[in-house]
Amino acid sequence: MQHPHINSVSEMPPSNKWCIRRALCLSFILALIPRTRGSTLNCHKMCICASNIVSCSKMNLTMVPSDLPNYTAVLDISFNEITGLRAQWTKHKLPKLHNLLLSHNGLDFLSSEAFIFVKELRYLDLSSNNLRQLDEYIFEPLTNLEVLLLYNNRISQIDRTAFSGLAGLQKLYLSQNLVSRFPLELVKDKNRLEKLSLLDLSSNRIKVLPIHDLQALPAWVKNGLYFHNNSLICDCELYSLMAHWYIRRFNSALDFKDDYKCVHPGPDKQVLRLYDLNTHMNCSTFKETDKEAYLEQTLTLSCDTRHRDMLKTWMLPGNIVLSSGNNRSTFLSDGSLEIKSVRPEDSGVYTCFALSEYLNETLYVVVKVHNFTLNGNNDTLNTAYTTLVGCLASVVLVLIYLYLTPCRCFCCPDQGKSKNHHEDSIHSSMLSATPTHDDMATKAELNRHVAFIDPKDLQGQNGKVNPNGEEEVDEDAMHGKGKRKKSLADSISSVFSDTPIVV
């Protein structure tokens, strides 16, 4: 029996024809869908591979291609649709990858472990995405990173430790975001980035700057610190800062001179050019501050250049080139000049010449030495104060002596007797604490006796004078005579003095 042979599709059963048509439709649909989504790297269809450069830009990718070769040095996956960079975006380490471009992808998520397999990165471009915040230690593995581009995102929150670990970072671009706080920790204190020479914070929402902290920064940092096109509040200190930067010819002040504007604090919120505040707000013109020193002080002059690691030399006043034989002037390792035990002849203009491959810069420092030591003014003031106090104390003592001492003998009732024997007055007895041999001899000639009062004899009166102004003295115990009245002055002297009393 001969079996029928099927020679064409038209001879197939209807059920088989339907299956074939369905398979053809599915194949056509799959052909229209890009095969690059989530697939392994294909250098012939998906990306362009040129030696160690892999470029997958504008390929409608939603994920980073897997199985990237270990020799990849530059990976460009910009202008795609990758919304998140997760921890497993690469399955293995890429030890030679130093450039990673992820701009224009709509990124809104970065895993805290996104960079653990690409620690050798030196250039990272995350610009023009939808990033809103930078979490703590997000870039910590990238110890060799030199350039980080984060501009044109929606970043409003930056953790203070977000850039910790970036010891080699030189340029950081944060412009065109929603940053409202100046990240001072990047250029100051323990978390500062030692090699950071460019920080772009322009076109954000910063209103207040840490003026005094910015003034203290090295010149090579201020030269690359951009913050134009912010909502800064107009202030004379801000004007003085920028005027100083403009005089020093810093790039940050010159390149965008017309873009530095501020908001006047008045009710109308007028926007003014920052460099015109000296006329609108009567801000004083900026003047460089000269160095002042005192005798015997150690003075350090900084050669604060706009670029780092320049070759520096110093010239002393009188156009004298600093030599190694100068015992008091020393050239420090950072290019500064140290003058020990400053003298008046050290006053004058010091010149620092700085040279590099691309720039020559000359700085002048005017030094004024005061003709006294740093503590000299204080010592003089203390001496004058002590002298004044001494004079006042002397005046007070004189007044006490004149008006508060016991009455002189010429005002006593026994004035006549005192005149006859003036050499034996109570005043003389008060001035002498103990009787001398001459006094004893003189008193013996006058038939006088010296008696010392025992303090026990005064206890009955509590050291006070008799209310009647007189005090009875019993002379029978001494000479066997009767009682007599003692003058008021004698009584006072006996109470307030330990000197011998003449009786």
Side-chain angles (χ1 to χ4, degrees):
M1 184 177 177
Q2 188 177 5
H3 295 281
H5 180 68
I6 300 176
N7 295 323
S8 63
V9 176
S10 58
E11 297 178 356
M12 292 182 181
S15 59
N16 292 343
K17 290 181 181 180
W18 183 84
C19 291
I20 292 175
R21 290 173 182 173
R22 184 177 180 183
L24 290 174
C25 291
L26 289 174
S27 299
F28 179 75
I29 293 173
L30 291 174
L32 293 177
I33 300 176
R35 300 175 60 186
T36 58
R37 295 178 182 251
S39 60
T40 59
L41 178 66
N42 188 331
C43 284
H44 300 287
K45 297 181 180 180
M46 184 187 306
C47 303
I48 299 175
C49 301
S51 184
N52 59 356
I53 299 176
V54 178
S55 177
C56 306
S57 179
K58 299 181 180 180
M59 297 300 295
N60 297 323
L61 300 177
T62 58
M63 297 180 63
V64 180
S66 59
D67 295 330
L68 294 168
N70 293 338
Y71 58 79
T72 304
V74 179
L75 176 60
D76 182 5
I77 48 179
S78 59
F79 291 94
N80 282 289
E81 300 175 8
I82 303 173
T83 58
L85 195 63
R86 304 187 180 279
Q88 304 297 328
W89 67 271
T90 175
K91 295 181 180 180
H92 52 79
K93 294 182 180 180
L94 300 175
K96 296 184 179 180
L97 184 65
H98 56 75
N99 279 35
L100 178 58
L101 291 80
L102 282 163
S103 64
H104 296 89
N105 266 286
L107 278 173
D108 57 14
F109 172 75
L110 288 177
S111 171
S112 59
E113 300 179 352
F115 305 105
I116 57 175
F117 285 165
V118 290
K119 294 183 179 181
E120 302 301 321
L121 276 181
R122 296 199 300 270
Y123 184 95
L124 176 59
D125 185 0
L126 295 171
S127 62
S128 299
N129 282 291
N130 292 324
L131 297 175
R132 297 178 180 274
Q133 64 182 29
L134 300 177
D135 297 329
E136 56 182 1
Y137 303 107
I138 187 69
F139 301 111
E140 187 179 28
L142 305 178
T143 57
N144 298 311
L145 192 65
E146 298 176 357
V147 180
L148 177 57
L149 281 68
L150 289 165
Y151 64 85
N152 195 26
N153 276 275
R154 298 180 181 179
I155 300 174
S156 60
Q157 299 180 10
I158 301 177
D159 189 88
R160 293 181 181 272
T161 61
F163 302 102
S164 295
L166 301 181
L169 191 63
Q170 300 176 16
K171 298 180 180 181
L172 175 58
Y173 297 85
L174 281 166
S175 61
Q176 301 179 54
N177 279 285
L178 304 176
V179 179
S180 58
R181 179 188 67 87
F182 185 91
L184 186 61
E185 64 274 3
L186 298 180
V187 292
K188 186 185 176 183
D189 298 334
K190 61 180 181 179
N191 293 326
R192 65 190 179 99
L193 305 178
E194 294 285 347
K195 296 184 178 181
L196 189 65
S197 60
L198 189 149
L199 176 58
D200 187 1
L201 291 164
S202 60
S203 302
N204 276 281
R205 297 183 177 181
I206 300 175
K207 295 183 178 181
V208 180
L209 294 175
I211 301 294
H212 298 289
D213 293 310
L214 296 182
Q215 288 174 338
L217 294 177
W220 59 269
V221 175
K222 293 185 282 192
N223 185 63
L225 186 55
Y226 297 86
F227 47 82
H228 54 277
N229 286 332
N230 273 281
S231 303
L232 299 174
I233 303 299
C234 292
D235 183 76
C236 285
E237 288 188 351
L238 177 62
Y239 167 77
S240 180
L241 177 73
M242 294 309 300
H244 179 207
W245 291 16
Y246 189 82
I247 292 174
R248 287 294 307 274
R249 313 299 292 175
F250 291 157
N251 293 335
S252 55
L254 294 177
D255 295 346
F256 298 92
K257 177 183 177 182
D258 295 332
D259 293 325
Y260 278 98
K261 299 178 182 179
C262 61
V263 180
H264 194 276
D268 54 351
K269 303 295 182 180
Q270 183 181 2
V271 178
L272 305 175
R273 293 180 70 254
L274 185 56
Y275 291 104
D276 293 338
L277 290 185
N278 59 332
T279 57
H280 287 85
M281 297 184 65
N282 197 24
C283 296
S284 59
T285 304
F286 175 81
K287 293 183 180 179
E288 289 282 0
T289 303
D290 297 335
K291 283 282 187 178
E292 294 186 356
Y294 303 88
L295 296 180
E296 305 301 328
Q297 183 184 1
T298 298
L299 181 64
T300 302
L301 305 181
S302 175
C303 189
D304 199 13
T305 57
R306 287 180 288 163
H307 289 263
R308 202 177 188 183
D309 301 328
M310 300 182 71
L311 181 61
K312 302 173 183 179
T313 56
W314 281 92
M315 182 174 288
L316 307 181
N319 297 329
I320 301 174
V321 179
L322 179 64
S323 60
S324 57
N326 196 316
N327 296 328
R328 295 191 304 108
S329 300
T330 307
F331 187 79
L332 303 180
S333 58
D334 61 351
S336 301
L337 178 65
E338 183 181 77
I339 307 174
K340 298 179 180 178
S341 187
V342 175
R343 301 174 182 174
E345 55 267 24
D346 293 325
S347 299
V349 179
Y350 291 77
T351 308
C352 176
F353 299 98
L355 305 175
S356 68
E357 184 178 357
Y358 307 103
L359 176 69
N360 297 337
E361 190 174 0
T362 304
L363 298 178
Y364 301 95
V365 182
V366 180
V367 175
K368 179 182 179 182
V369 180
H370 296 285
N371 197 20
F372 50 84
T373 62
L374 183 61
N375 295 325
N377 281 341
N378 294 334
D379 294 342
T380 303
L381 179 61
N382 291 337
T383 303
Y385 178 76
T386 305
T387 304
L388 178 60
V389 172
C391 292
L392 293 176
S394 300
V395 172
V396 172
L397 291 176
V398 170
L399 293 176
I400 292 175
Y401 176 76
L402 292 177
Y403 294 101
L404 298 181
T405 54
C407 181
R408 300 295 190 273
C409 288
F410 60 80
C411 65
C412 298
D414 301 331
Q415 183 176 356
K417 296 182 180 179
S418 299
K419 288 184 179 181
N420 294 333
H421 307 286
H422 57 86
E423 70 275 9
D424 211 19
S425 64
I426 295 177
H427 178 66
S428 62
S429 68
M430 292 180 60
L431 297 179
S432 177
T434 57
T436 62
H437 296 288
D438 295 336
D439 293 336
M440 295 293 292
T442 304
K443 291 177 175 59
E445 292 177 358
L446 297 175
N447 196 19
R448 300 286 182 137
H449 301 276
V450 177
F452 296 91
I453 300 177
D454 192 339
K456 296 179 180 179
D457 299 335
L458 300 177
Q459 291 180 358
Q461 297 184 14
N462 287 327
K464 295 184 180 180
V465 183
N466 192 309
N468 298 326
E470 298 180 349
E471 182 181 7
E472 294 183 355
V473 180
D474 187 4
E475 293 184 350
D476 292 339
M478 294 185 289
H479 302 290
K481 298 181 180 180
K483 296 182 180 180
R484 71 176 181 88
K485 301 293 183 177
K486 187 180 178 185
S487 65
L488 177 62
D490 291 340
S491 177
I492 295 177
S493 299
S494 66
V495 173
F496 291 96
S497 174
D498 290 336
T499 57
I501 305 302
V502 180
V503 294

